[in-house]
Amino acid sequence: MKFYLRLVPLLIVMGAVLIQSCTNEPPTDLTKESIIPKPVSVTATGKGFLLKSPTILVDESLKDNLGSYLATELNRITGITPNIESTTETSKAGNIYLVVTDGDAELGAEGYELSISEDSVTITANKPAGVFYGIQTLLQVVPLKSDKSGNYSIATGTIRDYPTWGWRGSMLDVARHFFSVDDVKRYIDMLSYYKINILHLHLTDDQGWRIEIKSWPNVAIHGGTTQVDGGKGGYYTQEQYKELVAYAAARYITIVPEIDMPSHINAALASYGELNNPETKFPKDGNYAGPVETKGIGEGKDKPTDLYAGREVGWSTLSLSKPTTMKFVNDVIRELSAITPGAYIHIGGDEAHVTKKEDYIEFINRFSEIVKANGKQMIGWEEISQANIDGNAIAQHWASEDHAKEAAAKGAKIIMSPSKRVYLDMKYDSLSRIGYNWAAYIEVDDAYNWDPSTRVSGINKEQILGVEAPLWGETLKNMDDVMYLLFPRLPGVAEIGWSPAAGRSWDEYKVRLGNHGPRMKAWGIDYYRSKKVQWSE
Ligand code: ACM
């Protein structure tokens, strides 16, 4: 065959693709939509619902601001400005209904049914959270561009959907580099788009203390003034923290605050000399952020340490023998609990390399009592398995399967954050412009291709709460850096948390992810263009 004849089929395919993308045919097959996380079930009915000046009808039982939330988000995508009405009537053509009716047991507290006919769109759920997740799915099936007649329409059919795991988390380290209230709100928006329901804020570390404590003001005023590699740092006032909590709650996200103790504590030791511990061994990396003459640990055990702007870990520790230490811990947990409506306080507990083992165990036992006395449940990194923990504790697995198994054997529930899979501060490959690689290079498929319930042999599904992807902040200077490492791995972690493991496969997922390229771009995200995915433009 002549060479140019062999090109004919290719030209036909290319022509068809070109015609399709130029004419923007209205979608009619709901099963072909690229929804992340993948819903439990999608049935198509082959028609289209025309999204033309709709009224959003909010069921009177749904006393929430979900109508205005949906209106704002639809407007962001399409420019259309829907009306919002509160109603009990449910059959007016052209409208979108948000309805809460208790009684569909399969959907549980977070599930929803999204039903799209030619006449109307209805999201039904047992609880407002389910309506919120139905809205996220709806937003993902609204085309980003109008069709050739200038209209937006949505394929018809029914989606029934509910999560596999109750804990679908992301952790942001605001201690190593500080991120503003507006940055964190943007982060929350991204989480909610993918149905993530936990934001763990790593609020304190050697390099910075980021939350106002009224009874120990210097921890934030002084301990918040630096960050990794220098820079001015910052902290949240309690009012600002409450603003974040409320912003997250409106998106059905619980904030889990972490005060990392007894190690990772230099920002506090630098702020109050009476907390200092002679066992703290200031690293010899020269990254002292204070006046050069004080160089590292304060002379004498009651002098404050210097501030620190380096990247070493595990060298600082609270002192069990100092009378002020437990008063400090009590005050911090009390104040933090009072401004945290969520059920959890994370006490860190990782990498306490210079804390004597018997002291470490005593610390965790006491933290546990204090957290409980403040009406909260204690979470700690997996090393807390060494203490007298029980079914009241939650351990977060990151590196040691032995610690995770020990915690589970003691009755603690486990959050799965295996660093080789979901430490999203790890580089994608050796060419990544930021990130670490001490755990692994984590390509997009590595972050997706695993299952919490089979990750650690000996820990079964009933012992696991779910999945959380930590984003440590040493190499992250701004939100572009954050987004580069989060995307496109975060949507995959969200899918692990939400979608049934049995229906997941990388080959099928990577097509949906590729189709999300324009959606991430529409959010202003300059995501990493992994070569393992064919990206739609
Ligand atoms: C950790 O990565 N140190 C929990």
Side-chain angles (χ1 to χ4, degrees):
M1 204 193 300
K2 289 229 165 43
F3 176 69
Y4 65 84
L5 283 180
R6 281 202 232 147
L7 283 180
V8 168
L10 181 68
L11 289 173
I12 290 171
V13 170
M14 283 171 62
V17 168
L18 204 62
I19 289 165
Q20 174 80 16
S21 59
C22 285
T23 54
N24 265 336
E25 288 301 323
T28 51
D29 187 348
L30 195 59
T31 63
K32 294 261 162 46
E33 293 295 339
S34 291
I35 302 163
I36 300 176
K38 186 180 180 179
V40 171
S41 87
V42 182
T43 322
T45 47
K47 300 275 188 341
F49 169 80
L50 187 60
L51 194 66
K52 206 162 191 173
S53 50
T55 295
I56 298 172
L57 297 173
V58 183
D59 190 276
E60 280 176 350
S61 66
L62 187 62
K63 296 198 191 344
D64 216 323
N65 60 0
L66 290 175
S68 53
Y69 174 86
L70 174 57
T72 305
E73 292 304 304
L74 276 179
N75 180 267
R76 192 176 57 76
I77 301 171
T78 63
I80 293 168
T81 309
N83 298 317
I84 305 166
E85 284 174 22
S86 184
T87 184
T88 48
E89 186 192 350
T90 54
S91 60
K92 250 161 79 184
N95 293 329
I96 302 175
Y97 300 91
L98 306 181
V99 186
V100 170
T101 55
D102 214 345
D104 190 333
E106 187 186 45
L107 298 181
E110 294 187 298
Y112 63 91
E113 184 175 287
L114 167 61
S115 167
I116 307 163
S117 73
E118 280 179 284
D119 289 336
S120 62
V121 173
T122 307
I123 298 174
T124 318
N126 295 324
K127 302 278 178 211
V131 174
F132 183 75
Y133 297 130
I135 287 174
Q136 298 311 324
T137 299
L138 176 61
L139 294 172
Q140 289 194 11
V141 297
V142 173
L144 288 179
K145 290 200 182 112
S146 61
D147 63 27
K148 57 188 178 224
S149 349
N151 289 320
Y152 290 86
S153 67
I154 308 168
T156 59
T158 299
I159 295 177
R160 281 181 64 80
D161 198 15
Y162 46 86
T164 294
W165 298 101
W167 192 283
R168 305 180 302 279
S170 166
M171 187 208 84
L172 180 63
D173 171 10
V174 294
R176 270 51 174 273
H177 280 99
F178 180 64
F179 289 93
S180 70
V181 168
D182 283 347
D183 288 343
V184 179
K185 285 183 178 173
R186 181 159 148 71
Y187 194 92
I188 289 169
D189 285 338
M190 297 301 100
L191 302 187
S192 59
Y193 191 63
Y194 293 103
K195 304 186 176 80
I196 287 174
N197 64 357
I198 297 283
L199 172 58
H200 166 182
L201 284 177
H202 183 76
L203 288 169
T204 66
D205 215 302
D206 291 318
Q207 300 88 345
W209 186 286
R210 309 297 180 206
I211 180 75
E212 175 191 23
I213 302 296
K214 292 184 194 291
S215 53
W216 296 76
N218 220 29
V219 283
I221 292 169
H222 180 66
T225 54
T226 191
Q227 55 185 8
V228 166
D229 299 337
K232 65 183 173 47
Y235 67 90
Y236 311 118
T237 63
Q238 293 199 359
E239 286 309 308
Q240 287 172 324
Y241 175 84
K242 285 194 249 178
E243 188 184 326
L244 284 175
V245 166
Y247 191 85
R251 287 150 187 81
Y252 297 89
I253 291 175
T254 300
I255 289 195
V256 175
E258 178 184 351
I259 303 293
D260 203 348
M261 307 176 285
S263 189
H264 290 269
I265 196 74
N266 187 66
L269 308 187
S271 306
Y272 290 96
E274 63 264 44
L275 294 175
N276 193 6
N277 186 331
E279 283 162 34
T280 288
K281 305 266 188 286
F282 217 87
K284 299 276 175 266
D285 60 2
N287 270 305
Y288 315 120
V292 91
E293 62 272 18
T294 63
K295 275 258 191 264
I297 190 166
E299 279 168 49
K301 55 190 169 70
D302 285 332
K303 293 251 177 71
T305 61
D306 205 344
L307 292 168
Y308 178 66
R311 298 174 184 211
E312 298 293 322
V313 297
W315 49 270
S316 59
T317 182
L318 287 170
S319 165
L320 206 51
S321 58
K322 291 224 165 160
T324 43
T325 299
M326 290 323 289
K327 175 169 174 19
F328 170 72
V329 174
N330 256 296
D331 289 341
V332 169
I333 302 289
R334 177 178 41 76
E335 288 195 33
L336 196 57
S337 299
I339 54 174
T340 301
Y344 314 99
I345 298 286
H346 200 307
I347 55 79
D350 57 323
E351 298 177 309
H353 302 323
V354 297
T355 316
K356 288 192 196 82
K357 178 146 183 201
E358 64 271 25
D359 288 0
Y360 176 82
I361 291 170
E362 183 62 22
F363 267 125
I364 303 299
N365 293 345
R366 292 205 200 171
F367 295 162
S368 167
E369 289 305 316
I370 294 169
V371 170
K372 203 187 298 172
N374 282 282
K376 303 290 179 190
Q377 194 171 6
M378 182 181 80
I379 308 177
W381 296 102
E382 65 199 1
E383 290 96 319
I384 64 165
S385 65
Q386 299 164 92
N388 301 341
I389 59 167
D390 57 22
N392 287 315
I394 298 170
Q396 188 163 7
H397 167 52
W398 64 283
S400 159
E401 296 194 355
D402 288 343
H403 281 324
K405 279 192 266 200
E406 188 182 8
K410 288 182 174 177
K413 289 279 191 282
I414 308 296
I415 298 165
M416 284 288 174
S417 302
S419 49
K420 289 182 190 314
R421 297 293 186 158
V422 291
Y423 262 36
L424 298 188
D425 58 312
M426 293 298 122
K427 294 180 174 196
Y428 296 95
D429 61 24
S430 60
L431 300 176
S432 297
R433 65 176 176 81
I434 46 172
Y436 277 160
N437 64 355
W438 60 260
Y441 290 118
I442 304 180
E443 246 297 355
V444 186
D445 54 341
D446 302 318
Y448 180 80
N449 261 332
W450 67 283
D451 177 13
S453 58
T454 56
R455 176 73 196 170
V456 178
S457 69
I459 299 185
N460 61 43
K461 192 165 182 197
E462 287 63 46
Q463 295 168 301
I464 298 169
L465 288 182
V467 58
E468 184 179 304
L471 186 65
W472 296 102
E474 288 92 334
T475 69
L476 311 177
K477 291 198 165 44
N478 52 48
M479 284 305 274
D480 283 346
D481 291 350
V482 167
M483 293 299 166
Y484 169 78
L485 289 176
L486 272 188
F487 291 97
R489 291 180 291 197
L490 183 78
V493 180
E495 180 149 310
I496 292 173
W498 183 280
S499 310
R504 295 203 286 110
S505 91
W506 166 252
D507 283 339
E508 184 273 333
Y509 170 69
K510 72 180 179 191
V511 178
R512 278 183 289 123
L513 183 60
N515 290 336
H516 260 244
R519 292 194 184 264
M520 291 188 273
K521 217 163 142 188
W523 278 109
I525 297 169
D526 189 12
Y527 59 94
Y528 164 66
R529 266 62 167 185
S530 168
K531 293 200 171 50
K532 301 201 164 196
V533 177
Q534 201 168 354
W535 298 103
S536 307
E537 284 304 335

